[in-house]
Amino acid sequence: MSRAQWIKGGSAVAALALALLTTGTPAVHAQAPQGAGSAAAEGSRAIFNNPLGTAAEQEAIRTQLLQYIGSSPAGSSIKVALYHFWDQELAQALADAHTLRGVDVKIVLDESTVSSRPEDPSYGVLEQALGDDTQLSSFVTLCPAGKSCLGRPEFGRSINHNKFWLFSQVDGAADVVVQTSSNMSPSAYSAFWNDAYVLTYNTGIYNAYGSYFDALVGKNWSTWKYTSASFSPYKVYFFPYYPGTGNSTDTIWNTLDNVTCNYTASDGTAKHTKIRVGMFKFTRQGVADKLVAMKKAGCSVELVYSETDSADSSADGVTPGTWETLHSVSGFAPVCYNDDHDGKTSTSNRIIHSKYLLIDGKYDGSVKRVMWTGSHNYSGPALRENDEALLKIDIASVHDAYVANFNSVKAAAVPGTMDDTRGCKGVVSQPE
């Protein structure tokens, strides 16, 4: 079945979406196929893994990706931007999609995928099947050693920290974006709590990710500028945020600045906006200051995290960091999930690896339930130096699904509020 059969209006809609992407006008949505074989139409939805669950629950995100790879037909395309790829079976599935079915497969990875685990066979499988010539229709390429594809060299070390997948066509859907927090590695499944959002039939968002993917492949860091694109009910932000300095050019700080902590509901009831943050690494001081100020202003604030910075982890051993800030206000009890469950340095700690923000209350002048997710940690490098993507989802039911996940992670968190530990305070770091 051709791509035109799957998207209403075929190339005309795709062309219109590209035009709208540059003008910022409202969303263009591809339409679900009519009578497309026996496959049911795939809808947009959230997926969560559970490292404490069964093998199927641990690999929920991975399983969905394998299904999409396996159902991508000849002539379709798969694009992947990823930090770490250490999964030989998944790599072979991508190789087979190209060599056996004629799917165009394009992959851009952080260089540390190879250099930090040279013994892992995954990259070799991809390189043998796809080659590394980015001028061809299929390839695998690496960002420069020690640098993200779009980060500026003068800023020092940076990484391609992206974790998104683009499928032009799968059984039951077209223009599929999978934005996840998950790398492809055993620990990402069995030790780390991760999330993924599957977005289908939004041509504008799909093409926005595609343009960013092309920029990553081109490694044109000298011409890169921070960008975003809105196609209702979604907005996507692409990093690094350059040019920019300070809180006024911090995407998360500005998002929180749009929150009204205290408001009156339509029935006259006094309400307080609820803010929930699930975050792997939280070392951005301006965002920590903002959350504390919002708690003091009357917002309800909850945080589950895995790593901060602190006086204990500072270079001089005395300069406070986000850990001290986040513990500076009464009634705000951050919960750390950084569990050395087996006491072995050779295995990964159990952590929350997701990076999401949930707002339930008055945001940007309206009462709503809205959220943001992606690869973007609340760290300095994630803002200014790394290749990252952040997806805003303005759908109440999706927000609610993430709240349920947040509550599950919070309930399982160890050491919880007893978080005065070397791992929680950033003295020792958990590799991704």
Side-chain angles (χ1 to χ4, degrees):
M1 179 176 291
S2 71
R3 179 173 170 80
Q5 289 174 294
W6 279 69
I7 303 177
K8 185 178 181 181
S11 60
V13 166
L16 179 59
L18 285 171
L20 292 177
L21 182 58
T22 63
T23 62
T25 49
V28 171
H29 297 274
Q31 300 299 309
Q34 301 298 315
S38 60
E42 284 272 313
S44 300
R45 67 197 185 284
I47 303 173
F48 306 98
N49 79 316
N50 181 353
L52 305 181
T54 65
E57 291 170 330
Q58 291 176 10
E59 298 188 4
I61 297 169
R62 177 181 187 266
T63 297
Q64 181 62 82
L65 291 170
L66 281 169
Q67 290 174 352
Y68 283 159
I69 295 167
S71 70
S72 294
S76 68
S77 69
I78 301 172
K79 298 176 181 177
V80 185
L82 198 60
Y83 178 42
H84 284 158
F85 197 136
W86 300 319
D87 187 323
Q88 186 176 0
E89 181 184 356
L90 201 66
Q92 190 62 56
L94 288 164
D96 290 346
H98 173 62
T99 59
L100 302 182
R101 299 200 311 278
V103 178
D104 291 339
V105 179
K106 301 180 180 182
I107 304 173
V108 57
L109 303 172
D110 189 75
E111 187 276 339
S112 63
T113 279
V114 175
S115 62
S116 63
R117 290 194 185 180
E119 74 284 357
D120 188 275
S122 304
Y123 181 79
V125 170
L126 295 170
E127 187 179 37
Q128 182 175 8
L130 308 176
D132 58 8
D133 186 345
T134 59
Q135 300 303 307
L136 299 181
S137 60
S138 293
F139 57 80
V140 59
T141 188
L142 301 173
C143 294
K147 195 181 85 64
S148 64
C149 283
L150 299 175
R152 301 185 71 83
E154 64 265 31
F155 289 174
R157 185 171 181 82
S158 56
I159 56 176
N160 172 21
H161 195 242
N162 278 301
K163 306 161 202 312
F164 67 81
W165 298 65
L166 310 178
F167 299 87
S168 66
Q169 182 179 325
V170 298
D171 277 354
D175 291 347
V176 178
V177 176
V178 181
Q179 175 62 70
T180 181
S181 65
S182 182
N183 294 299
M184 298 296 106
S185 69
S187 59
Y189 317 139
S190 64
F192 302 170
W193 293 80
N194 278 298
D195 71 284
Y197 187 73
V198 177
L199 192 162
T200 63
Y201 299 115
N202 189 307
T203 308
I205 291 293
Y206 176 84
N207 284 335
Y209 271 94
S211 295
Y212 180 55
F213 180 87
D214 291 342
L216 295 171
V217 172
K219 306 176 181 68
N220 299 320
W221 60 265
S222 63
T223 60
W224 170 255
K225 293 182 179 180
Y226 168 78
T227 188
S228 63
S230 296
F231 294 90
S232 181
Y234 304 101
K235 183 174 183 179
V236 62
Y237 312 77
F238 298 116
F239 300 83
Y241 199 141
Y242 182 85
T245 58
N247 290 334
S248 64
T249 56
D250 183 325
T251 307
I252 302 303
W253 192 93
N254 282 323
T255 294
L256 294 172
D257 201 44
N258 284 327
V259 172
T260 301
C261 283
N262 308 297
Y263 65 98
T264 302
S266 58
D267 63 0
T269 306
K271 295 286 189 180
H272 304 281
T273 297
K274 297 177 182 178
I275 300 170
R276 299 175 176 93
V277 178
M279 189 58 46
F280 168 53
K281 184 172 288 189
F282 198 141
T283 59
R284 205 141 85 227
Q285 189 62 47
V287 178
D289 291 340
K290 189 68 171 178
L291 280 182
V292 167
M294 297 176 78
K295 174 62 181 177
K296 292 178 177 178
C299 279
S300 167
V301 182
E302 295 180 78
L303 168 66
V304 179
Y305 73 96
S306 286
E307 183 180 327
T308 57
D309 58 4
S310 65
D312 291 351
S313 64
S314 65
D316 60 11
V318 296
T319 302
T322 55
W323 191 90
E324 285 80 8
T325 300
L326 294 167
H327 290 79
S328 66
V329 59
S330 177
F332 181 20
V335 172
C336 181
Y337 201 145
N338 198 322
D339 179 16
D340 184 9
H341 57 98
D342 59 7
K344 298 179 180 178
T345 57
S346 60
T347 60
S348 297
N349 288 3
R350 289 178 178 148
I351 60 171
I352 177 172
H353 192 252
S354 295
K355 309 101 171 35
Y356 56 68
L357 166 65
L358 315 177
I359 294 175
D360 177 1
K362 195 165 187 178
Y363 174 77
D364 199 21
S366 300
V367 177
K368 61 174 59 181
R369 303 197 299 279
V370 62
M371 59 154 296
W372 292 254
T373 189
S375 66
H376 185 89
N377 285 304
Y378 293 175
S379 68
L383 180 64
R384 305 292 181 203
E385 301 159 24
N386 296 348
D387 304 329
E388 311 265 9
L390 177 69
L391 180 65
K392 175 187 177 185
I393 306 169
D394 196 352
I395 303 173
S397 61
V398 177
H399 167 277
D400 294 349
Y402 271 81
V403 169
N405 178 255
F406 178 88
N407 290 336
S408 295
V409 176
K410 185 177 179 180
V414 175
T417 56
M418 303 296 290
D419 63 352
D420 188 359
T421 70
R422 288 165 54 84
C424 297
K425 299 175 81 170
V427 179
V428 293
S429 293
Q430 169 64 63
E432 291 190 85

